[in-house]
Amino acid sequence: MAIAQKPAPGKVAGRFGAFGGRYVPETLMAALEELEQAYGKARRDPKFRRELEYLNRQYAGRPTPLYFARRLTEKLGGARIYLKREDLLHTGAHKINNCLGQALLAQRMRKRRIIAETGAGQHGVATATVCALLGNECVVYMGTEDMRRQELNVFRMRLLGAEVRGVESGQRTLKDAINEAMRDWVTNVRTTHYLLGSVLGAHPYPTMVRDFQSVIGRETRAQILKATGRLPHTIIACVGGGSNAIGIFHAFLGDRAVKLVGVEAGGRGSELGEHAARVAVLNELDGKCGGAPGVLQGTYTYVLQNEAGQIAATHSVSAGLDYPAIGPEHASLAESGRAEYVAASDAEALEACMLLARTEGIIPALESSHAVAEAVKRVPKIKKSEIAVVNISGRGDKDMGILRENLKF
């Protein structure tokens, strides 16, 4: 159940305006405080930073290119489009950025057992990868509906040595996987680190995951200035929990002239249960966003819920966007107006995926396809002298089964 009452800001650590905080069972408070202290020390430690930078560069493959999409630009006829190619990272998505950071942190905390949740499977694969690299035990929780949709990633995790535990409760998707991972953590908190995959959950996770993902925005800023001598007009990224989006947004938050656009899952309709849009307006007639403020899985943010405060069912063709809450920093950016949040439907994302494949030879993940779909709508309205950056957060290899089911040639 979501909590409708708005807590007073500033009384709980880890706030983004009114959002964020730490709402967990007492049994997890000590673990979160330990994690907060360990991360605070690590981020100030040059040795930790050097080790993470080395692995990002030599193992994950950073920096990723910022690629000028010439043919897509010509096709749409508006601003010049640059693609931030996180899909070229080891494991195929931005998730490895955060997993490397947290795995090194767990090592410093002497916690050799790692648990994680996954929806689309990319975070699970990245977690299994870093556990294999560092010699950790790895357990990944995944809803059985997502396991069905992402069979290839399930096999990849098991090949890497992870135990994948299917979750049958609820909708059998990401929210339910997080619930099971948290139950495991409560039981095994002394020996286990929960490697949460997005800017969700209780403090310090939203801040810590953002910091590990902010390398995307730092690189993008330097790359676009080198390539064009100017900052972009617009930056577009998909938003499930929101780690890839906040990762690229963060370096530009102080640049008010740069428009930041997050794209949620519009699904197959505007009714509750047909989409996963928490802050985007789906029905222009009433002008209301899909969610309402509440607490879910440790943080106060915008949550899809019914009038009684019960968590609503969600739907998206992309498993990674199929979640009823948005990261609390995104909730704050939406409420302040610093970032704009829109939605792309399943059909629009599928069409955008095919368009990028056929104009640039790049097959994006269905999550990233939502960002491409917004570029298709927005870029033609921006002057040709301007620049738009689209974050391609992952590649589409994992989605071939879904694409084959939905696209008819």
Side-chain angles (χ1 to χ4, degrees):
M1 179 183 290
I3 298 174
Q5 183 178 358
K6 187 174 184 177
K11 292 187 177 181
V12 183
R15 288 284 182 192
F16 304 94
F19 301 101
R22 185 181 284 164
Y23 299 87
V24 294
E26 191 65 31
T27 49
L28 287 180
M29 290 299 289
L32 288 166
E33 289 167 357
E34 178 191 19
L35 180 60
E36 181 182 10
Q37 291 171 9
Y39 176 59
K41 291 178 182 177
R43 68 187 301 187
R44 295 188 298 270
D45 185 346
K47 182 179 178 182
F48 178 84
R49 296 199 302 269
R50 284 195 303 270
E51 189 171 8
L52 179 57
E53 183 182 349
Y54 172 82
L55 289 174
N56 273 331
R57 183 178 66 253
Q58 299 293 346
Y59 187 72
R62 304 212 70 89
T64 58
L66 185 68
Y67 167 71
F68 174 53
R70 179 182 60 82
R71 292 197 66 231
L72 182 62
T73 297
E74 292 172 353
K75 176 78 173 178
L76 297 182
R80 289 172 286 164
I81 302 169
Y82 284 79
L83 307 178
K84 183 57 173 165
R85 298 293 309 277
E86 293 296 289
D87 58 310
L88 294 179
L89 284 172
H90 181 42
T91 73
H94 70 291
K95 294 294 188 180
I96 193 75
N97 303 324
N98 169 54
C99 287
L100 284 170
Q102 285 201 53
L104 290 177
L105 191 59
Q107 194 173 56
R108 288 170 66 101
M109 296 165 67
R110 294 182 172 84
K111 295 193 174 183
R112 306 299 299 178
R113 181 175 182 266
I114 305 293
I115 61 172
E117 85 299 328
T118 196
Q122 287 303 119
H123 175 59
V125 169
T127 301
T129 297
V130 300
C131 285
L133 174 68
L134 299 176
N136 291 327
E137 179 186 352
C138 181
V139 177
V140 179
Y141 288 91
M142 189 174 191
T144 53
E145 171 60 18
D146 288 339
M147 291 178 72
R148 181 192 67 80
R149 293 195 283 183
Q150 299 291 344
E151 290 181 358
L152 178 60
N153 273 343
V154 174
F155 182 79
R156 292 171 73 192
M157 285 182 268
R158 288 172 173 160
L159 179 62
L160 288 158
E163 178 188 351
V164 182
R165 295 184 183 177
V167 177
E168 292 282 359
S169 59
Q171 282 189 275
R172 298 168 294 150
T173 56
L174 181 59
K175 171 181 67 69
D176 313 297
I178 293 176
N179 284 339
E180 289 303 315
M182 291 185 73
R183 290 188 185 101
D184 184 318
W185 197 26
V186 168
T187 305
N188 302 288
V189 69
R190 291 185 178 179
T191 61
T192 298
H193 173 65
Y194 179 16
L195 206 164
L196 184 61
S198 195
V199 285
L200 300 166
H203 178 67
Y205 281 106
T207 298
M208 181 175 66
V209 177
R210 179 204 65 199
D211 289 350
F212 289 139
Q213 292 293 359
S214 64
V215 65
I216 307 172
R218 293 196 302 273
E219 284 181 7
T220 301
R221 187 183 183 89
Q223 289 167 326
I224 199 67
L225 287 171
K226 182 177 180 180
T228 69
R230 59 191 298 193
L231 294 178
H233 178 279
T234 300
I235 297 174
I236 306 172
C238 66
V239 182
S243 64
N244 92 90
I246 206 66
I248 196 168
F249 289 173
H250 192 249
F252 298 91
L253 289 177
D255 302 295
R256 305 294 297 189
V258 179
K259 297 182 184 298
L260 307 175
V261 183
V263 188
E264 300 183 277
R268 57 195 172 203
S270 61
E271 296 298 317
L272 206 58
E274 296 294 300
H275 61 86
R278 293 65 47 99
V279 293
V281 174
L282 288 175
N283 189 337
E284 297 296 339
L285 295 178
D286 61 25
K288 295 179 181 177
C289 67
V295 171
L296 179 64
Q297 294 172 332
T299 194
Y300 180 74
T301 185
Y302 270 79
V303 183
L304 288 171
Q305 54 186 297
N306 63 23
E307 292 180 356
Q310 297 293 327
I311 304 304
T314 57
H315 164 77
S316 174
V317 72
S318 58
L321 302 187
D322 197 359
Y323 183 69
I326 193 169
E329 189 165 7
H330 285 293
S332 178
L333 292 173
E335 194 165 270
S336 70
R338 178 61 191 95
E340 178 185 358
Y341 294 83
V342 297
S345 69
D346 287 353
E348 289 170 333
L350 289 163
E351 289 176 10
C353 179
M354 188 159 57
L355 175 64
L356 190 61
R358 294 185 173 184
T359 56
E360 297 293 343
I362 298 169
I363 303 174
L366 279 169
E367 291 79 14
S368 311
S369 299
H370 286 70
V372 178
E374 178 60 21
V376 170
K377 290 183 277 190
R378 185 176 294 256
V379 164
K381 302 173 185 177
I382 303 173
K383 294 178 181 179
K384 291 184 177 182
S385 59
E386 297 287 0
I387 299 161
V389 174
V390 181
N391 196 22
I392 306 299
S393 57
R395 59 178 175 252
D397 303 30
K398 67 182 179 61
D399 294 320
M400 287 300 118
I402 299 172
L403 291 168
R404 187 169 56 189
E405 289 175 9
N406 286 274
L407 294 176
K408 307 300 180 184
F409 302 129

